[in-house]
Amino acid sequence: MSAARTLRVPGRHGYAAEFSPYLPGRLACAAAQHYGIAGCGTLLVLDQNESGLQIFRSFDWNDGLFDVTWSENNEHVLVTCSGDGSLQLWDTAKATGPLQVYKEHTQEWDPTVGNSLCTFRGHESVIYSTIWSPHIPGCFASASGDQTLRIWDVKTTGVRIVIPAHQTEILSCDWCKYNENLVVTGAVDCSLRGWDLRNVRQPVFELLGHTYAIRRVKFSPFHASVLASCSYDFTVRFWNFSKPDPLLETVEHHTEFTCGLDLSLQSPTQVADCSWDETIKIYDPVCLTVPG
């Protein structure tokens, strides 16, 4: 693995990282003070250059920030979610506070209106992860502490499929970029499971190797059967579920829970992660740089 570009942010524990889909090398990171238990949160917008990672913008919020995503129609706009139950809309082109704040983050929002569009109910515990389908308009998946993966349809505001995916809390899910029927889940039981939405009685694959809960899972945007996961075991692992021996590589460069993970849409080899050890890293794992 090439040497990681590393930025240490003292007093801020990383929870989520996401590459910009617009600007090569730009990265957003959501972080919190005191491991997210108390204190404020910080949104960091980073750029890469020859000397490493540099902070382009930094925004503070009055509670921990636990997730972040880029707008799909504005290269400057980011959305974060906070421990106080709100969503924040940020304009990274301006060094000011949030554009808007939404108070009920279990709903779907239209920023041009400022009100929720609809509410989806059904989960029986905290929702840890949601992801829009990259294939089916108005369809998204959610993963919950109630041990289920659910597929929803905006047109009906109802659940389409309920999958009892694990027997423990499910902390993350992602939709395959190459297969509209394939969704992966990562859970407290240390396993990753792939689900074919046409037949959900059994997972189509199960990946084992992590030794503590899996915090986040991401499919590769460049390889149909490759995915990455990060865990409370301090590692990031890369997998190819089509191979008899699916574990491609284990990266051990953090000293605390690794919570944030993303694969670049611009570069087929570049990965970002962040951890409770107050560091954000961008690197090129060997398994993505060596053919085959």
Side-chain angles (χ1 to χ4, degrees):
M1 185 180 75
S2 62
R5 297 181 179 91
T6 301
L7 179 70
R8 181 173 295 279
V9 187
R12 295 295 185 271
H13 304 105
Y15 268 93
E18 186 168 300
F19 282 107
S20 167
Y22 309 102
L23 301 175
R26 179 157 291 183
L27 181 74
C29 180
Q33 277 186 311
H34 307 299
Y35 306 97
I37 298 169
C40 72
T42 301
L43 169 63
L44 298 156
V45 183
L46 311 176
D47 284 331
Q48 301 179 66
N49 57 33
E50 294 77 9
S51 59
L53 291 178
Q54 304 293 328
I55 296 176
F56 170 71
R57 291 272 192 264
S58 178
F59 305 93
D60 287 330
W61 185 246
N62 55 18
D63 208 318
L65 296 179
F66 300 115
D67 212 347
V68 61
T69 190
W70 293 88
S71 166
E72 292 189 357
N73 57 20
N74 189 319
E75 68 181 78
H76 301 297
V77 172
L78 282 159
V79 181
T80 54
C81 68
S82 172
D84 62 9
S86 66
L87 294 170
Q88 302 80 34
L89 204 65
W90 306 90
D91 184 351
T92 63
K94 304 172 183 177
T96 58
L99 295 171
Q100 295 184 38
V101 178
Y102 305 108
K103 292 296 185 182
E104 298 173 82
H105 69 281
T106 56
Q107 304 185 2
E108 181 193 13
W109 297 91
D110 182 347
T112 63
V113 177
N115 295 315
S116 62
L117 298 175
C118 49
T119 303
F120 300 86
R121 302 187 188 280
H123 279 297
E124 298 172 0
S125 185
V126 59
I127 298 167
Y128 287 106
S129 177
T130 61
I131 183 75
W132 286 106
S133 167
H135 313 280
I136 308 166
C139 183
F140 67 96
S142 59
S144 169
D146 67 10
Q147 307 175 10
T148 68
L149 171 72
R150 298 182 186 229
I151 310 299
W152 307 82
D153 188 344
V154 169
K155 300 182 188 69
T156 63
T157 69
V159 64
R160 289 176 51 189
I161 304 172
V162 179
I163 305 169
H166 297 261
Q167 293 184 315
T168 56
E169 290 189 302
I170 306 170
L171 303 184
S172 186
C173 63
D174 197 26
W175 216 297
C176 181
K177 281 70 172 174
Y178 294 86
N179 184 339
E180 69 178 39
N181 295 302
L182 183 59
V183 179
V184 66
T185 53
V188 171
D189 63 10
C190 309
S191 74
L192 295 155
R193 292 178 179 174
W195 300 95
D196 186 329
L197 301 182
R198 296 165 296 186
N199 183 353
V200 299
R201 287 176 294 180
Q202 296 290 332
V204 292
F205 65 79
E206 183 174 45
L207 304 174
L208 302 174
H210 281 294
T211 55
Y212 284 94
I214 295 166
R215 184 62 185 86
R216 206 171 296 265
V217 58
K218 291 289 183 77
F219 273 109
S220 167
F222 292 97
H223 307 281
S225 58
V226 171
L227 54 87
S229 56
C230 67
S231 167
Y232 293 154
D233 65 11
F234 307 174
T235 71
V236 178
R237 298 180 190 234
F238 296 87
W239 314 81
N240 186 331
F241 63 80
S242 69
K243 292 182 176 293
D245 185 6
L247 181 61
L248 301 176
E249 185 174 349
T250 300
V251 174
E252 300 178 88
H253 60 191
H254 287 292
T255 59
E256 256 293 356
F257 292 171
T258 308
C259 296
L261 175 68
D262 198 25
L263 283 71
S264 172
L265 294 171
Q266 310 282 350
S267 166
T269 65
Q270 200 164 77
V271 177
D273 60 41
C274 62
S275 167
W276 276 14
D277 64 11
E278 304 178 349
T279 65
I280 304 160
K281 296 178 183 284
I282 295 180
Y283 56 100
D284 298 271
V286 172
C287 65
L288 300 184
T289 58
V290 177

